[in-house]
Amino acid sequence: AQSVSQHNHHVILSEAASLELGCNYSYGGTVNLFWYVQYPGQHLQLLLKYFSGDPLVKGIKGFEAEFIKSKFSFNLRKPSVQWSDTAEYFCAVNWGGGFKTIFGAGTRLFVKA
Amino acid sequence: ETGVTQTPRHLVMGMTNKKSLKCEQHLGHNAMYWYKQSAKKPLELMFVYNFKEQTENNSVPSRFSPECPNSSHLFLHLHTLQPEDSALYLCASSQLTGTAGGHEQYFGPGTRLTVT
């Protein structure tokens, strides 16, 4: 069955620390990949996406993610986090352009000021 | 009003009640989705509507009944729910090209449902 795994459920960092959140999905084929973010009290919104082309994609607020096909991974990174990055981050995968997108369980990031 | 709106934002209902959740998208999209978000569990897709036609029903119990009268509005009718149905119900929309899915979704703020 199709599944998406996020390695860390909770991450605590100090401001200026580097961030990497892991995301793996169950098997290959053509995939569309997403990271969504949910800030406290706000709705889910798109952070970045990968459909094709350069496997290193850049999103809003200095975030980037790298698609490694051989590892079925799409890890999210940010070189220097800010307190305002405190949020829950969701990885999502869509296989073959179908109507079903599978979400990971989410990673809660807390950044200490 | 822009984006995706959902009403009500909070709902408390007994197990014998009948209620409906409403979603409206102002983005001109042609696909709409219902998700269930429970604590410590992945977001669960419930239903997908593409051009008002239901294309996905993710094994959802019949006590949840969706309705999509047009591409801008989506309802979730609830009846005889169980306490384990308490969760945040999210609506989303996307713009599909042709018959393909897989595009980014725009989410509403959700309805926090408590079943007593």
Side-chain angles (χ1 to χ4, degrees):
Chain A
Q2 297 161 333
S3 64
V4 178
S5 298
Q6 291 185 238
H7 307 153
N8 309 96
H9 294 299
H10 292 90
V11 173
I12 301 174
L13 295 173
S14 298
E15 274 195 313
S18 64
L19 170 72
E20 181 160 3
L21 301 182
C23 174
N24 286 88
Y25 55 95
S26 54
Y27 61 88
T30 302
V31 289
N32 296 331
L33 303 164
F34 309 87
W35 276 98
Y36 286 87
V37 61
Q38 190 169 29
Y39 296 103
Q42 296 187 29
H43 56 269
L44 267 168
Q45 56 188 287
L46 184 70
L47 196 57
L48 50 77
K49 63 185 180 185
Y50 171 82
F51 283 5
S52 63
D54 189 343
L56 184 63
V57 293
K58 296 190 183 299
I60 59 172
K61 303 185 180 184
F63 285 90
E64 64 179 31
E66 184 175 13
F67 169 47
I68 302 179
K69 190 173 182 178
S70 60
K71 295 185 178 180
F72 306 114
S73 70
F74 190 55
N75 292 354
L76 181 70
R77 298 194 293 248
K78 186 172 184 179
S80 176
V81 295
Q82 301 172 310
W83 176 80
S84 58
D85 294 323
T86 294
E88 189 160 16
Y89 294 81
F90 295 88
C91 179
V93 181
N94 173 279
W95 281 267
F99 294 107
K100 190 172 181 178
T101 296
I102 307 289
F103 283 75
T107 297
R108 287 185 183 270
L109 170 66
F110 180 72
V111 180
K112 298 184 289 185
Chain B
E1 192 79 71
T2 58
V4 181
T5 58
Q6 291 186 241
T7 54
R9 296 292 306 275
H10 299 271
L11 178 62
V12 179
M13 60 185 290
M15 291 191 284
T16 57
N17 291 159
K18 288 185 180 181
K19 297 286 184 183
S20 295
L21 309 185
K22 179 183 176 182
C23 175
E24 185 173 359
Q25 59 96 1
H26 311 269
L27 300 167
H29 290 164
N30 53 21
M32 297 186 76
Y33 310 75
W34 278 118
Y35 286 90
K36 177 182 180 182
Q37 187 177 28
S38 305
K40 299 181 181 179
K41 292 178 70 175
L43 211 60
E44 299 173 57
L45 179 67
M46 300 176 73
F47 302 104
V48 181
Y49 278 83
N50 175 26
F51 295 102
K52 301 187 298 176
E53 299 297 320
Q54 190 180 125
T55 55
E56 290 281 341
N57 177 338
N58 205 28
S59 303
V60 180
S62 59
R63 58 185 183 269
F64 295 91
S65 174
E67 179 189 0
C68 188
N70 55 61
S71 58
S72 298
H73 294 85
L74 185 64
F75 295 89
L76 188 62
H77 304 299
L78 316 171
H79 63 98
T80 59
L81 294 192
Q82 305 298 311
E84 60 264 29
D85 296 323
S86 298
L88 182 68
Y89 288 84
L90 294 173
C91 175
S93 70
S94 68
Q95 180 62 29
L96 306 180
T97 54
T99 57
H103 295 255
E104 62 266 34
Q105 295 171 42
Y106 294 77
F107 286 84
T111 294
R112 176 69 63 187
L113 174 67
T114 303
V115 181
T116 60

